[in-house]
Amino acid sequence: MKRDFAVIGLGRFGGSICRELSLEGMSVLAIDINETKVNEFKNIVTHAVIADATDEATLKDLGVNNIDHVIVGIGDNIQASILTTVMLSDFGIKKITVKAQDDYHERILKKIGAHQVVHPERDMGKRIAHSIISNNILDYLELSDEHSIFEVKASQKMIGKTLEQLAIRAKYGCNVVAIKQGDEINVSPGAQLKIAANDILIIIGSDKDLSRFEKHLVVDD
Ligand code: ADP
C-alpha cells in the first residue's frame, strides 16, 4: 500500500526514516531548513524542499496539512520541534511522530498532540544494555513506561524443559506470547511445549517482572 509521509528535519533520525520509507516505495515529502541537507535527499525522496517548518503558511503551501503521517525529526531546536508539532496537531494530522531530545521534551510533545514520541538514543541505549547483560536477549521493545516485550534466545536453563516446568507466568508474572522454532512461529504455545536449543521466546510483562525473569532464567551462569 502506498501512503503519504512528510519528514521534517533531515538529521540522522529524519534522514534514516526518509531513506527507509523511500526504499519501501512510499512517497515522502522531505523538509529541512538547511539547503545542504535538502540537496542530499533530492534524489532519494519524492520531493525535498527547503523550508522553515515553524512557518504555518509555508507548511500549508507545501500541502503538509493533507498528509496522513508526519514525522518530526527536528533535533536540538526544541522550540522549533514544539511549534511544528502544535501546528501539525492544529491541522488535524492523523498521525504525528516526533523525536524527543529528553524526558521533559517528551512530556510536552505528548501534551500538545504528538501521537507517538520516540527517543532513539535512550531506546537504543536500553536495548544495547540488555544485550550486554545477556547474549540471549535479541531484542527489546518498550510498550509503555512500565511494560516491555523481550525477544529471548532459549538459555541453557530453559532447554529441554516444558513451559509448564518453567512456570514463567507463575514465577515471574510474564507471559510467553509466541515461540519461534526455525521458520515456524507458534503464537499460542501450550504448556507442554518443550523448549529446544535456538528457540526464540517472545515475552511480555512489566519491566519489574521481566527484570526478575532476565536475572533468573535468561542469563546463563
Ligand atoms: P539528529 O540528532 O537526528 O541528527 P539534528 O538535530 O542533527 O538531528 O537534525 C535536525 C534537522 O532539523 C537539521 O537538519 C536541521 O536543519 C533541521 N531543522 C531544524 N530546525 C528546523 C526548522 N525550523 N524547520 C525545518 N528543519 C529544521
Side-chain angles (χ1 to χ4, degrees):
M1 191 178 60
K2 211 163 157 71
R3 283 160 61 191
D4 276 322
F5 296 91
V7 177
I8 300 174
L10 305 173
R12 285 161 303 171
F13 173 72
S16 112
I17 301 240
C18 277
R19 285 177 209 279
E20 288 305 310
L21 290 176
S22 301
L23 275 175
E24 295 297 326
M26 309 287 172
S27 91
V28 178
L29 167 65
I31 299 169
D32 201 292
I33 203 167
N34 179 316
E35 185 179 355
T36 317
K37 289 273 171 199
V38 172
N39 286 335
E40 205 184 304
F41 284 88
K42 276 229 157 89
N43 297 321
I44 296 170
V45 298
T46 326
H47 299 290
V49 187
I50 307 164
D52 180 352
T54 60
D55 182 355
E56 188 170 2
T58 306
L59 286 185
K60 277 193 178 155
D61 282 348
L62 291 171
V64 173
N65 48 328
N66 293 317
I67 290 178
D68 282 346
H69 192 163
V70 182
I71 298 106
V72 183
I74 296 177
D76 296 340
N77 190 343
I78 292 182
Q79 190 175 327
S81 157
I82 290 171
L83 253 172
T84 305
T85 307
V86 169
M87 279 185 288
L88 296 173
S89 182
D90 282 350
F91 289 161
I93 305 285
K94 284 204 197 97
K95 180 130 194 207
I96 307 169
T97 300
V98 194
K99 173 186 137 151
Q101 288 296 94
D102 52 39
D103 292 344
Y104 183 59
H105 187 194
E106 178 170 354
R107 272 169 60 193
I108 296 172
L109 291 171
K110 281 185 176 155
K111 279 209 170 34
I112 59 175
H115 304 106
Q116 182 184 27
V117 180
V118 291
H119 218 311
E121 287 90 354
R122 187 193 62 188
D123 297 347
M124 191 47 81
K126 279 191 183 181
R127 281 176 141 157
I128 292 176
H130 285 285
S131 68
I132 288 170
I133 293 170
S134 167
N135 290 332
N136 291 330
I137 296 181
L138 304 177
D139 207 354
Y140 160 92
L141 180 73
E142 202 174 69
L143 292 177
S144 70
D145 289 346
E146 286 170 23
H147 292 86
S148 305
I149 291 185
F150 269 11
E151 193 176 82
V152 170
K153 192 167 140 234
S155 64
Q156 292 305 323
K157 291 172 191 162
M158 299 177 195
I159 296 170
K161 300 218 169 74
T162 63
L163 286 180
E164 188 174 38
Q165 288 167 329
L166 289 172
I168 293 171
R169 188 183 312 160
K171 285 190 187 159
Y172 310 106
C174 313
N175 281 296
V176 179
V177 288
I179 297 191
K180 287 194 216 169
Q181 301 186 301
D183 290 338
E184 302 275 302
I185 279 208
N186 186 339
V187 288
S188 53
Q192 296 316 314
L193 188 137
K194 196 182 264 185
I195 307 290
N198 297 319
D199 282 1
I200 292 169
L201 289 78
I202 316 286
I203 301 186
I204 189 167
S206 72
D207 292 336
K208 208 169 83 224
D209 290 339
L210 283 169
S211 164
R212 282 193 307 129
F213 163 76
E214 183 178 353
K215 242 180 250 146
H216 291 107
L217 266 193
V218 181
V219 179
D220 281 319
D221 303 320

